[in-house]
Amino acid sequence: MRPDRRRLDGYLRHVNEEMQTAKLASEVWLRSAPGHVVAENDRFVRSLVRGALARGDPGPDHLGPLLDDPAALREHYWQRVTRAKPMAVHFGAADHDALDDYFTVSTERSTSAATARARDTIAADSPAGHLLRSIDRLTASGTSPAESCRQVLHLLSTHWRDLVTQCRGPEGGHPEVGAVLAAFHEALASGRLGRRPPQPVPGTPPPAEPTDTHHPDARDTDACLTDADARLTEAEVRDLARLCMLGRLCFSDEELRLAQRLARRPRLQYALLATHLRLVAESSATAARLAADWGTTRVLLPFTEAYVNRTGYRSPVIDLSPNPKLVTVLCHNVLPAVAGELLRRPADEDALDAGVLTSGVEAAIRRGVFSTTAGLFHGTAPPDTVALSGFSRRVCPAATPFARHCLRWLPFYFDRWPGTSPPPDRTRACPAYPAC
């Protein structure tokens, strides 16, 4: 990739060590980048990931004799983690004292549990309450709550500016977000808004949803408010942001309970750890080249979900270690999809094989676990007043190459479990996923 300092500087200005994604910057610190900057950063990160994250290509196996001894593989992985754990914790990993603690699946992440929490904690007349009514309306027609949430947020993103204009007072002031979402629900109920268009082929990143393309960098002043902004309080931001996450919590209680049992199976843990270690090993050379080309290790910040630089991102030295957060991410988002494939057959955990793992990874992509819709929130004056200028569909930029890596190596290492028959040759073919 040809270095473009302007693009890197823009990325680092809005996404840095403390604010790894625009979603976090917007929903935690209330410092959203403008919509067009969010989209530009996404394209930049996608180009970095495409060139520097291992995509599962066949090649020599760096794990060697470790593959013949699951206990040694686990010890090697844990040693690699512990030597860089402070850095991994800084980038979102839990500070666990044992490797087994990262293999966790929470039933609190089920669709039913998330929906029940929303009903118990969200006031009916709040912005999140109006949005929940719209989600319920689509769910009543037979759509799952998670898919209903995605459809509602897509429509809301598309029609946001028109809705804000419609809700302005006679003096042209900025409306309350609750009023905008109430108007949205009324339009949805009356049939004035259409349903979501057909979905793309599974595995392809969906196009970016419309975002505010005119908002300047957020500052603590009303002068930054634009004609697409509506107001709400910080407490309302938290409720609304949590409800938007319902679109990713797409698994049933039964799928999560079965995923909990899968996460405890030594053979599957072995496959997950080997797949992760291979990802880090194959990425090391490309990461070094990327940092050399750009003249800074900070260009490796988009990869901290998978691996961290033990020496930090101000040091020129590159020493990559796996971030165990990725194990938990896989347990939360891929193992329930694998469980769903077993339940669909129907079968229990004893029927798990390489084919089910492949189907599960594909199902996780199809079910949208690597994408979310985030509000573009930014603090204004007076205190506790926040502006919402629109919504942005965020797709994990590593979803395509990482899925390709998992599709090739997770089933391979599952079959490679010592004592089983030699694994089939899975290095020659891999499902075709377009470049991200």
Side-chain angles (χ1 to χ4, degrees):
M1 175 189 298
R2 184 178 180 180
D4 181 341
R5 291 299 308 187
R6 182 187 61 82
R7 297 174 70 198
L8 177 61
D9 290 344
Y11 166 74
L12 294 176
R13 185 167 59 252
H14 295 285
V15 184
N16 54 48
E17 287 91 338
E18 285 69 44
M19 301 185 302
Q20 265 298 282
T21 67
K23 172 181 165 52
L24 286 178
S26 176
E27 296 180 358
V28 177
W29 287 278
L30 306 177
R31 290 163 53 190
S32 173
H36 70 284
V37 173
V38 171
E40 183 177 338
N41 280 341
D42 279 354
R43 288 191 295 271
F44 174 65
V45 172
R46 204 173 299 283
S47 68
L48 291 180
V49 170
R50 184 169 59 237
L53 190 67
R55 306 193 327 175
D57 297 328
D61 204 318
H62 302 267
L63 302 180
L66 292 171
L67 294 173
D68 296 324
D69 186 346
L73 181 77
R74 287 175 61 88
E75 180 61 23
H76 174 75
Y77 183 93
W78 187 237
Q79 287 178 353
R80 295 279 301 276
V81 165
T82 53
R83 65 198 289 267
K85 190 138 73 83
M87 189 63 64
V89 170
H90 181 73
F91 287 108
D95 191 8
H96 292 315
D97 293 326
L99 178 56
D100 281 339
D101 293 334
Y102 290 98
F103 291 95
T104 181
V105 181
S106 172
T107 56
E108 292 300 301
R109 294 174 59 86
S110 73
T111 300
S112 61
T115 305
R117 283 195 302 273
R119 298 197 197 291
D120 289 342
T121 60
I122 292 175
D125 59 350
S126 68
H130 293 303
L131 184 64
L132 183 58
R133 281 199 301 150
S134 298
I135 294 171
D136 284 342
R137 182 171 185 85
L138 294 191
T139 302
S141 65
T143 307
S144 72
E147 177 59 23
S148 295
C149 180
R150 289 193 289 267
Q151 290 189 21
V152 163
L153 289 173
H154 172 81
L155 290 170
L156 185 58
S157 174
T158 301
H159 297 282
W160 178 258
R161 187 177 292 273
D162 291 339
L163 289 162
V164 171
T165 300
Q166 171 190 328
C167 293
R168 281 204 191 96
E171 298 181 0
H174 296 282
E176 300 294 323
V177 170
V180 176
L181 293 178
F184 170 77
H185 179 75
E186 181 182 347
L188 184 67
S190 66
R192 297 199 301 272
L193 300 178
R195 285 295 193 97
R196 194 179 186 182
Q199 294 300 288
V201 175
T204 62
E209 295 184 358
T211 58
D212 171 33
T213 58
H214 302 288
H215 197 283
D217 290 338
R219 304 179 186 89
D220 292 332
T221 171
D222 279 354
C224 282
L225 293 174
T226 73
D227 60 356
D229 286 339
R231 296 175 182 265
L232 71 171
T233 67
E234 291 189 16
E236 290 171 337
V237 167
R238 311 306 173 204
D239 283 344
L240 193 59
R242 282 192 293 268
L243 184 59
C244 289
M245 286 298 293
L246 181 61
R248 286 190 60 198
L249 303 180
C250 56
F251 299 114
S252 69
D253 294 312
E254 189 176 12
E255 287 172 328
L256 288 171
R257 285 193 295 269
L258 179 52
Q260 286 179 322
R261 300 197 294 274
L262 292 175
R264 293 193 291 267
R265 296 180 75 85
R267 184 172 177 177
L268 184 53
Q269 291 184 1
Y270 167 91
L272 288 167
L273 297 179
T275 299
H276 193 186
L277 286 169
R278 182 169 189 131
L279 178 73
V280 177
E282 290 185 351
S283 299
S284 294
T286 52
R289 286 197 298 269
L290 191 69
D293 288 345
W294 289 86
T296 174
T297 52
R298 297 189 77 202
V299 77
L300 302 180
L301 285 170
F303 308 96
T304 53
E305 291 268 318
Y307 53 75
V308 294
N309 193 35
R310 187 178 67 84
T311 60
Y313 293 87
R314 304 286 180 178
S315 166
V317 177
I318 296 178
D319 185 3
L320 303 184
S321 293
N323 187 345
K325 177 184 178 182
L326 185 64
V327 170
T328 303
V329 168
L330 289 169
C331 287
H332 280 326
N333 296 291
V334 174
L335 293 197
V338 173
E341 294 302 296
L342 284 170
L343 293 169
R344 186 174 58 83
R345 299 196 174 210
D348 62 15
E349 62 266 35
D350 292 330
L352 181 66
D353 60 20
V356 173
L357 283 174
T358 299
S359 298
V361 175
E362 293 171 338
I365 300 165
R366 187 170 61 250
R367 295 174 72 166
V369 300
F370 296 114
S371 66
T372 189
T373 297
L376 300 177
F377 301 103
H378 39 95
T380 67
D384 195 41
T385 300
V386 180
L388 172 60
S389 61
F391 292 84
S392 173
R393 177 70 175 275
R394 317 306 311 287
V395 179
C396 175
T400 297
F402 180 62
R404 184 184 288 111
H405 184 85
C406 287
L407 284 166
R408 189 185 297 278
W409 297 115
L410 193 56
F412 176 86
Y413 287 121
F414 186 85
D415 279 340
R416 180 65 175 75
W417 174 256
T420 58
S421 301
D425 184 359
R426 297 183 184 278
T427 65
R428 298 184 180 279
C430 180
Y433 280 83
C436 63

